[in-house]
Each structure stands twice: as C-alpha cells, then as structure tokens.
Amino acid sequence: MHKQWSFSVLKQASALLRFHVRLKSTNVRPTAPLGSRVLTNPDDIFKHNMWDHVQWTEEDKEAARQRAEENSRLRLPLTEQGKFVTNASQYWDHFYEVHQDKFFKDRRWLFLEFPELLPSSVEKRTNICLSHQEPTPEPNEVVAEASFFPGQQTSFRILEVGCGVGNSVFPILNAIKNTDSFFYCCDFSPRAIQLVKDHPDYDDSVCHAFVHDICKEETSFPFPPQSLDVILAVFVLSSIHPQRMQRVVNHLSMYLKPGGVFLFRDYGRYDFSQLRFKKGRCLSDNFYTRGDGTCVYFFTKEEVHDLFSKAGLEEIQNLEDKRLQVNRGKKVVMRRVWMQSKYRKPPPSSPS
C-alpha cells in the first residue's frame, strides 16, 4: 500500500540550449534543479525508475533515525579502524582492479545541475576584477613551479578530485572541446588514473590526469593556488574520515580563483544505503565501512554548509535531494537522499 506524498518542484529554464551541449542519452532527466518528475498519483509509482522532490513525513524521519541508530550501535573496535584510513587508497585500487570501468555510469546529468562546468557560464558569474599577475601562494603552501604548469595558457580551468575511472571526466572533456579550457583530474588510486589515461577519449592537450591523495597537504598540485575556476567533488568527500574533511576542503579552496566555484554532490543523511548497513560496520557517527574496505559518510545540509563556509566560501546553493528510486522488476521502492551544493570563493577584501 502506497502513501500519498506531497511534493514541491523548483523550476528553471534549461541553460543547456545556450551552451549547445548535446547529452547522448535516450532518457535524459528533466532540466530542473534536482529533476522535475513528480509523483502525484501513488498508483503510478512503478511507471518510472526515479521520482524527484519527495517529502518525508515526521514518521518517515523518525523511522530512518531509529534504523540508523540501530545499525550504528555496534561499532568496530578502535584498534581495527585505523587500517581503513591508512589503507584507503589500497582498498579503492583493489575496487578498480575488480570492477575496472564497468561499475559506475557516465554522469551526463552533470550539465543539468552544474552548468558552471561549461566555459560559457563564467560570463554569468558576479563581475569580480581579477588581477592579471601570477597568483600569490598562501602562507606555508607547497606549490608546483609557477613558471609553467599544464593548462597555463587557458582561461578556464577545472579540477575534479576523486575522478575514479572518468565517469565525469569524459562527458566534461567532450563538452569543453574547442574552447579555451583545461581539465585536471586526480585520484589516489593509480589503477583508476591509468584507466583514465587508457580511455580512447583521453587527450593530454586538454586534460591532465594524475595520482594525488587530497588528504596529504604536503604533496603539491601541478598548478599554483588561485588558478582554478571550478573544483568538482562528486561522491568523494564522503569517503574521507570526518575528522579530516575540513582540512581537505580548506586546502582545496586555496586553489580557486576569487569568484571560482566548488561543486559538491554526495550522500545525504538516512539515504537507503546508510539504513541497509548491518551492525558492526559503523566506525563513528554516520560513518561506515563497506565489505570491500571502502568507507562512506552521510551528510546533513548543516554539516555541508559548515564545511564550506569555514573554508571561507559563500553559499550559492545547498540542497537536499530526496528521491524515490524504483526497481520496477522487483517492485521495490528505495528512499535516496543526496546532497548537492555550490559554494563560491569571494573576492579578496579591499584594503581599509
């Protein structure tokens, strides 16, 4: 028996028409923030694989809270938790050894939700006067040699952290071809980066893929601070121990130009994948390890805002994306919760 849900839909015109981006899919999601497929009749629930803008009742929230409390009551001993931090790159490297590039689908939805990834969107941003001088390194910052770096001659630069095997990389590369743009992508899994470089669409004239652990601040990036227009992190920060997240975001934010944008999408609190964890997989509050050793954290809107605002960034968007994911074959409905956020680096303060 299905409950009657109330929904709200946020509407906006598609920016894709202006950017001339063609998404190669026969089932492109509607072009509104977080989709616009709304379930108004519960009898229609199995007509589509996904429904957008799902509102939870207080009873739904309480049931989810109790389920998360139950599966996190029994935690792994502290003596066994360290390996999931120190060996994180090995667990993910093994993941890509097993699955290669077959596990995740290409993220062609990126341009619907994040038009900031397209060079044309720069004109839409706030008018911030940027210095034409070389960016000044932050104090105590280890930087690459500033005299030359890949993509230096381009006017629009994107970095994706935790790029995996390129499920965001290649849709973006295809979209920025023949523009004055450059794309950097990194992952701490050497196997993942090699799979990116072996892809037939990889082009080192517009892309630089490299192995990098964003938790290690002592290692330098191949570009100087304040040189990036966009940083993209999709289901990446959740894999980092909560105690390390703030330092990671602080460090990454130094590489944004004034006016540059940090784009974030990740797991939200009480997502179906959190509630299905068995007892004994919890490491700390809302932080779990999977059977393959990889880890995942589940965010709230407030935590996301604190994370980026403490790094000195200003909120553009901070949304909780609640959907119903439907397995029509098995007649199973799953409540999905994701976070989607955009934060901008403000211009430097004018001298008093």
Side-chain angles (χ1 to χ4, degrees):
M1 180 176 181
H2 307 303
K3 296 181 180 179
Q4 177 71 47
W5 304 99
S6 62
F7 301 87
S8 63
V9 180
L10 303 174
K11 299 179 180 178
Q12 73 172 14
S14 171
L16 298 184
L17 296 177
R18 297 192 296 272
F19 300 138
H20 306 290
V21 176
R22 299 183 63 85
L23 301 182
K24 301 176 182 177
S25 173
T26 58
N27 189 28
V28 176
R29 294 193 61 73
T31 55
L34 308 182
S36 60
R37 183 179 293 139
V38 178
L39 179 65
T40 56
N41 183 352
D43 293 336
D44 294 336
I45 193 167
F46 293 109
K47 288 186 177 180
H48 295 285
N49 294 328
M50 191 80 73
W51 297 96
D52 307 317
H53 301 285
V54 176
Q55 300 299 305
W56 289 32
T57 65
E58 290 302 317
E59 290 80 6
D60 296 330
K61 297 175 185 177
E62 180 59 22
R65 187 196 65 78
Q66 290 182 11
R67 175 58 183 157
E69 183 180 275
E70 181 183 351
N71 73 16
S72 61
R73 191 170 293 136
L74 178 62
R75 302 188 179 188
L76 281 174
L78 290 175
T79 54
E80 297 181 23
Q81 291 190 21
K83 63 182 180 182
F84 297 111
V85 175
T86 57
N87 299 331
S89 63
Q90 297 177 30
Y91 288 123
W92 279 105
D93 209 51
H94 179 68
F95 174 90
Y96 292 119
E97 179 184 11
V98 173
H99 298 287
Q100 297 289 302
D101 59 356
K102 304 297 190 294
F103 193 84
F104 301 110
K105 296 180 180 179
D106 281 353
R107 295 165 178 152
R108 302 189 185 281
W109 55 264
L110 281 170
F111 308 109
L112 298 175
E113 303 296 349
F114 295 143
E116 295 85 355
L117 288 165
L118 300 167
S120 303
S121 67
V122 174
E123 301 172 5
K124 301 287 183 181
R125 298 184 190 166
T126 54
N127 294 322
I128 299 174
C129 295
L130 302 179
S131 170
H132 294 291
Q133 300 177 353
E134 287 294 322
T136 303
E138 300 284 343
N140 303 319
E141 177 65 13
V142 179
V143 300
E145 187 65 36
S147 60
F148 174 79
F149 60 93
Q152 183 178 22
Q153 303 304 317
T154 57
S155 62
F156 185 73
R157 306 185 194 101
I158 305 169
L159 166 67
E160 183 188 11
V161 294
C163 67
V165 296
N167 298 100
S168 300
V169 173
F170 298 107
I172 293 173
L173 284 183
N174 288 331
I176 66 172
K177 282 181 179 178
N178 304 315
T179 68
D180 189 27
S181 307
F182 198 85
F183 188 78
Y184 309 93
C185 56
C186 67
D187 200 283
F188 63 2
S189 164
R191 196 176 304 275
I193 291 300
Q194 191 58 53
L195 286 167
V196 169
K197 291 183 175 181
D198 290 342
H199 194 283
D201 289 343
Y202 182 75
D203 182 352
D204 60 10
S205 69
V206 292
C207 181
H208 180 61
F210 57 102
V211 178
H212 188 93
D213 186 345
I214 59 175
C215 290
K216 295 181 178 179
E217 296 181 30
E218 67 276 10
T219 58
S220 63
F221 283 104
F223 41 77
Q226 300 189 52
S227 59
L228 300 175
D229 294 275
V230 178
I231 295 175
L232 176 66
V234 179
F235 298 104
V236 174
L237 296 185
S238 58
S239 66
I240 298 172
H241 194 284
Q243 293 180 357
R244 308 178 80 179
M245 287 181 193
Q246 189 65 64
R247 291 179 65 88
V248 168
V249 174
N250 291 351
H251 185 65
L252 289 172
S253 298
M254 293 191 297
Y255 289 90
L256 283 173
K257 299 175 183 176
V261 180
F262 203 128
L263 305 176
F264 168 84
R265 187 169 174 84
D266 222 314
Y267 294 101
R269 187 69 47 82
Y270 305 144
D271 177 61
F272 172 78
S273 61
Q274 178 180 11
L275 303 185
R276 69 197 297 260
F277 271 106
K278 296 180 180 179
K279 294 179 181 179
R281 305 307 304 177
C282 186
L283 302 177
S284 61
D285 290 348
N286 305 296
F287 188 53
Y288 301 78
T289 179
R290 304 182 182 95
D292 60 5
T294 62
C295 295
V296 59
Y297 184 80
F298 298 89
F299 294 91
T300 65
K301 284 180 63 174
E302 294 75 18
E303 289 172 344
V304 172
H305 181 76
D306 285 347
L307 194 61
F308 289 101
S309 62
K310 287 178 180 178
L313 306 184
E314 298 174 341
E315 179 182 324
I316 303 172
Q317 179 190 83
N318 188 23
L319 302 176
E320 190 175 45
D321 183 6
K322 290 184 175 179
R323 307 192 186 193
L324 287 181
Q325 187 173 10
V326 179
N327 184 322
R328 290 187 281 176
K330 296 181 178 179
K331 302 298 182 184
V332 173
V333 177
M334 297 159 281
R335 293 178 178 272
R336 304 312 308 264
V337 185
W338 296 298
M339 304 309 303
Q340 181 168 299
S341 307
K342 306 176 184 182
Y343 282 79
R344 179 189 292 116
K345 187 171 187 176
S349 301
S350 58
S352 54

